[in-house]
Amino acid sequence: MGTPVNIIAGSHVWVEDPGLAWIDGQVTKINGQEVEIERNDGKKVVTKLSKLYPKDTEAPAGGVDDMTKLSYLHEPGVLENLKLRYELNEIYTYTGNILIAINPFQKLPHLYHQHMMQQYRGAPLGELSPHVFAVADVAYRAMINEGKSNSILVSGESGAGKTETTKMLMQYLAFLGGRAATEGRTVEQQVLESNPVLEAFGNAKTVRNNNSSRFGKFVEIQFDKQGRISGAAIRTYLLERSRVCQVSDPERNYHCFYLLCAAPKEEIDKYKLGHPKSFHYLNQSKCHELVGISDAHDYLATRRAMDIVGISKTEQEAIFRVVAAILHLGNIDFGKGKEIDSSVPKDDKSKFHLKTTAELLMCDPVALEDALCKRVMITPEEVIKRSLDPLSAAVSRDGLAKTLYSRLFDWLVDKINKSIGQDHKSKCLIGVLDIYGFESFKHNSFEQFCINFTNEKLQQHFNQHVFKMEQEEYTKEAINWSYIEFVDNQDVLDLIEKKPGGIIALLDEACMFPKSTHETFSNKLYQTFKNNKRFVKPKLSRTDFTVAHYAGEVQYQSDQFLDKNKDYVVPEYQDLLGASGCPFVAGLFPPIAEETTKSSKFSSIGSRFKLQLQQLMETLNATEPHYIRCVKPNNLLKPAIFENQNIMQQLRCGGVLEAIRISCAGYPTRRPFFEFINRFGLLAPEVLEGHYDEKLACNQILEKKGIKGFQVGKTKVFLRAGQMAELDAHRAEVLSSAAKIIQRRTRTHIARKHFIDVREATIYMQSFCRSRLACKIYATVKRKAAAIKVQRNTLRFQARKAYTTLRISVLVIQTGLRTMDACNKFRFRRQTKAATIIQARWRCHRASSYYRKLKKGTILAQCRLRGRIAKSELRKLKMAARETGALKEAKDKLEKQLEELTWRLQLEKRLRTDLEETKTQEITKLQNLMEEMQKKVDETNAQLVKEREAAKKAIEEAPPLIQETPVYVEDTKKVESLAVEIDGLKASLQNEQEISEDLRKKFAEAQECIEERREKLEETEKKVHQLQESLHRLEEKLNNLESENKVLRQQAVSIAPNKFLSGRSRSIMQRNDSGHSFTDTKMHVDLHSSSFSEVDDKPQKSLNEKQQENQELLIRCISQPLGFSGNRPIAACIIYKCLLQWRSFEVERTSVFDRIIQTIGHAIEDNNDMLAYWLSNASTLLLLLQRTLKASGAAGMAPLRRRSSSATLFGRMSHSFRGTPQGVNLSFGNGMPGGGVETLRQVEAKYPALLFKQQLTAYVEKIYGMIRDNLKKEISPLLGLCIQAPRTSRASLVKGSSRSVANTAGQQALIAHWQGIVKSLGIFLDTLKANNVPPFLVRKVFTQIFSFINVQLFNSLLLRRECCSFSNGEYVKAGLAELENWCGVATDEYAGSAWDELKHIRQAIGFLVIHQKPKKTLDEISHDLCPVLSIQQLYRISTMYWDDKYGTHSVSSDVISKMRVLMTEDSNNAVSNSFLLDDDSSIPFSVDEISKSMEQIDIADVEPPSQIGENSGFSFLLPRIE
């Protein structure tokens, strides 16, 4: 609040306005406590100085995202900030950790997409723009990290968007902790799917909202130890039952009634329904349909939602039968019956609806009519049926309708909870509270009272939380806060809920007395709370009362409080519907135990709601709360309309202004040191010379200006309310003084220059002017002398004339005044005498009247006292006559207890007939004893009849008290004897129950034994199943070995000669044009003969074992890094050669492929060198397979291979020396002699080979993804530093006199982040080059990396306002230049089109740094400057832009308006509404693209590693000799 210290002439202030709440203006004049202000609309007003608030002229044009950052935290500052942000479609704003959400009344899907959820995942609160996702993320992270439950409280008035906000919270929590889609319908899906059902039965159209929740909802989302949603529960509070029967125009009843009336025709015919206006409960309002909403479509959607949440078709039909029955029940009108004060259905129409209601509820129509029109009263003497008059019958009908609907709603909630399922083992939960906001209407009834009571409770919780947050902030900064007062509303809560004297307690007390009315209840309130400052009695009403809530005073009408507070079911309704033929309806009215009925004779809505609210507060107190306050900007429910008064009231009702008051009680203004020095350093420039300590400098500035009561924390300066304005006033004075000095110096220079010019011209004119002036002076003196003489004579004449006139006038006036004075004195004396006479007469009359009233009152009191004594005597006489009837009633109770014991004994006997044969005799004895007792009872009855007759005679003959005494004693003795016998029967019954309990225990033990045996049997079955599976696997391995043996037998001839090969023999072999053969025929014969002799004579290992040894050696070899031969990976080449030589591609079963894949999988490490090595090998091997293998079954390939194979042993040997199978040439070069691409023949691959190729493809993609993600992880921290750079740079701009040096060092430090990114990219590129990764894959990697940089920078630009500034644009532009230089160094071979991926951030940065933005048109911006950016993105950047360097403005308001129009036209397109970019993490290539992009590889001359090159089994790997 303003003070004389900080508001001066010229200050900009906020002044109150009846229409706009607050309007800004400038102080023009101050007169003491009166201030004259010129408003911005041109009007001038005068107000008191204490009613003004200072305005921050340096506030950002687009507002601040956290209102604790406001320089002046007061009502007009908050309102203006919300208005500025709402105009920019920024609907979310923080106040500390409280989120304010303003309903935009339009779709903004770009705020809630999946990528937006990804952006807020794990982000600290306040780092990104305010959002409901940020609150949910903070709650989830706190629950995971601290292991404590959290709650999110969503409040606001009807139409503020509470339900939609709750849906968004649920979706985000499902995104964070949801289960995979493959696990079926998850808990969060079921909770979200239950919303349509609850909305159909719990929502209605109100004056302020077309889909207003008329109940409170608290959703508990339970999480397991891994942070995944494991269960949920929905709890509801205070359904508005009165809406079922009473609807105000233009509101509607609950949606389900209208949905059922719009159902398909067969449904309408079945339930005998019609248009809503034909039903009394719906036609009280003229509104039956909602604009743009189809009730028929919503009916089908509700039925589908019921199917989803697990409500069966039978239950759905029963539900809508009850809804239809309620509609028909409302159409039953009552007229006067034949008897006095009786009622019957009014006409045939009412009888039809009565019959239809009975059919739908499956009960007797006559019984239903009796239940509506009659009441049963049980008296000690008899049962009386009392008829109801038509008005009471209508009230009874409405009570039944409300009871039916409320129980139906409770059943739906219970069914949904059972369908969702709760996790009772869960220790952590997040509760989302969707509760109605504070309500104050022209007519406020019991519902508004309960709603406002709830908000009082929540407000107290809110105040405590805000105060706690303030304490944490002060404690964190280590400042003293012990003297700060806490705003509490406990006195209002005591007024409402305190026992025994609270409003709810008095209401329950009034409801328990049948004769109580709302008038007696109101009088009781007036008497009890007449001295309570929170309770006000209205002057113009006898039954209303006013409560001063935290949000203002609310006047309640108590005329329906008692009826709405009662919560009991009339016994007639309980009996009628409990016996319904429909199990569903009967289930809504379960039988009530007699003990329960006796113990709880009265139940009230207020007490039950108070208990629910207490449980809710216990739940909230056990959790960490988070608050979302929803605000409705206007009552028209239209976008882009901001009603100040409406929003101020909602902020007051939502407690936001209360939180501001708490904040203002402490230190509402908090500024980091660098911001404080940057703003107020000019107040003490000597402090900022050289190097200085920021904390000490802030302290010195404040002390110099005489500021008292401030606190300096660790990182911030804390100022009391008004001190910021005082500092701004000092700052304005300093700036004004400096401006005056500059202006004075400038004006002095201009004036001196002008003076010299004028003086030179004046000197030339003076001589001429002086001569002319002398002549004129002479003439003037002459005329002056003549004029003086004339004036003297004239003045003398005028003075004499005036004196004469004045004297005559004075004499006339004196005469008149004296006459008037005499008349007034006479009149006064006469009036005084008359008043004295009147007073005497009045005092006499008053004394006489008082005496008469006192006498009359005394006589009346005496009469009433005597009458009361007489009534007491009469009552005693009547009580004496009724004692005989009391004895009969005691006897009847004993008979009932005897009958009940008999029934229970017979029931126990039937249950234990087969188990208790030994007790038959005892039961027989008990039955005989019961018969004897029955006889005694009969005898007693007979005796009582005789004694009653004798008593009547005795009463007639003598005084009743004397004659009835012996009868009473005699009957008492008999009653005691019967009670003793009953106790004996109870004892025997107890024994029988104990025996029955023993038998039950034995039965339970037998069941446990059977259960153990069943478990053992299941374990045995599992073992048998496992043995069968093992047998199948052994059979498969056997078949595999057989197929491998077949292939190895075919290779036996070619393998055997390899044993005799040596270096000398291999050097003899030559290659001829005509074919492959040896020149030495003698060598041919020797080898031929010796090979067969070796095979036939020497014992050798089996071919299968030899093959296994070779495979083992290959696996051991490739598991170690083998390096490269030129640019060819050795491991890939030898794997390919071995597989070809062993013909592994052509066998049906083999394990070599699996072992190779496993080796690659084990060798992969999270190391870029190893990943690059295996990416090179895997991609090369995949290329070879892609060009060699083809699926088996191609026509003509097998015969061709057979024809091309050699028919002799020497032909097979020559092929084995070259390491190639028939039809395959390993020379893949274009210019290789004797073969090339044209002569390349493919191998028919079997299933294992094709599967190996698919697995290898998957590994290439996996390794590629790991390499890409590793690079992203490496540069992400540097990108984060680049994003945070604007904050750092602003902090470095205020460092003393050496600012230029500091700025240069700061810029160098900031650009180092970009250089670090470039360095990481260079190292990564060198690693890929060193491992000969194909350039195609390198280009793909860097293209996706640059796309990732583009997404991160661009999204941060749109989500962080501090990034969307001019200086940050220059900074990012310099960083992008570094990346462009790197792309030039890397060349197009490896960088490719990576630079083009930065197009979004490049164009956005170009827009930020361009000058003269207001002169740019929308076409120039969207087509020339930023053609890639969408309208939504351009609008976001334009509205968030701020120039922190030169103070320039963003684009013009016309351009902003055009953007809004385009956005509105395109609002239905979800894609166009998304302004954030999404990171693409897919694999951007296919196997065919790899094959086409890579050059052909010649693997013929690749040298094998030494460990297998020396093994004779791998001699085919040796390079061939030309």
Side-chain angles (χ1 to χ4, degrees), residues 73-97:
L73 189 60
H74 45 51
E75 289 186 12
V78 169
L79 186 66
E80 179 68 10
N81 188 70
L82 292 176
K83 182 177 181 180
L84 291 174
R85 291 181 60 80
Y86 184 72
E87 290 175 351
L88 302 178
N89 272 346
E90 296 287 346
I91 62 174
Y92 294 115
T93 307
Y94 291 128
T95 300
N97 58 354

Side-chain angles (χ1 to χ4, degrees), residues 402-502:
K402 291 187 285 188
T403 302
L404 264 174
Y405 194 82
S406 65
R407 296 205 174 191
L408 173 62
F409 186 79
D410 292 341
W411 183 91
L412 283 170
V413 175
D414 292 339
K415 183 69 176 179
I416 290 172
N417 283 334
K418 291 177 183 177
S419 172
I420 296 172
Q422 299 189 47
D423 181 11
H424 299 287
K425 298 180 181 179
S426 174
K427 295 183 179 179
C428 295
L429 62 87
I430 293 180
V432 180
L433 179 64
D434 177 4
I435 199 75
Y436 20 62
F438 191 89
E439 291 187 355
S440 178
F441 305 126
K442 291 182 179 179
H443 183 85
N444 300 286
S445 188
F446 182 68
E447 290 83 8
Q448 280 71 42
F449 179 76
C450 292
I451 287 172
N452 294 341
F453 172 43
T454 304
N455 281 272
E456 284 286 355
K457 273 282 191 184
L458 294 175
Q459 182 63 28
Q460 186 186 46
H461 186 265
F462 175 72
N463 288 349
Q464 292 172 351
H465 173 70
V466 172
F467 190 64
K468 178 184 175 184
M469 293 299 102
E470 291 286 311
Q471 289 180 354
E472 290 180 356
E473 176 72 12
Y474 298 154
T475 304
K476 178 182 176 183
E477 291 290 330
I479 67 172
N480 181 25
W481 51 269
S482 57
Y483 58 88
I484 298 173
E485 297 180 357
F486 170 53
V487 182
D488 195 9
N489 60 339
Q490 185 62 43
D491 52 350
V492 186
L493 297 176
D494 291 341
L495 171 68
I496 296 174
E497 65 175 347
K498 187 177 181 181
K499 288 187 177 182

Side-chain angles (χ1 to χ4, degrees), residues 33 35 55 108 263 314 371 485 496 554 627 706 733 809 1078 1337:
Q33 293 298 318
V35 183
K55 179 183 179 182
L108 300 175
T314 305
E485 297 180 357
I496 296 174
V554 179
Y627 292 92
E733 290 176 359
S809 300
F1078 289 100
L1337 296 179

Side-chain angles (χ1 to χ4, degrees), residues 1153-1154 1157 1189 1245-1257:
F1153 295 133
D1154 293 337
I1157 290 296
L1189 302 184
K1246 301 297 182 182
Y1247 174 73
L1250 297 176
L1251 180 61
F1252 173 65
K1253 180 183 173 184
Q1254 293 177 359
Q1255 292 174 332
L1256 192 62
T1257 303

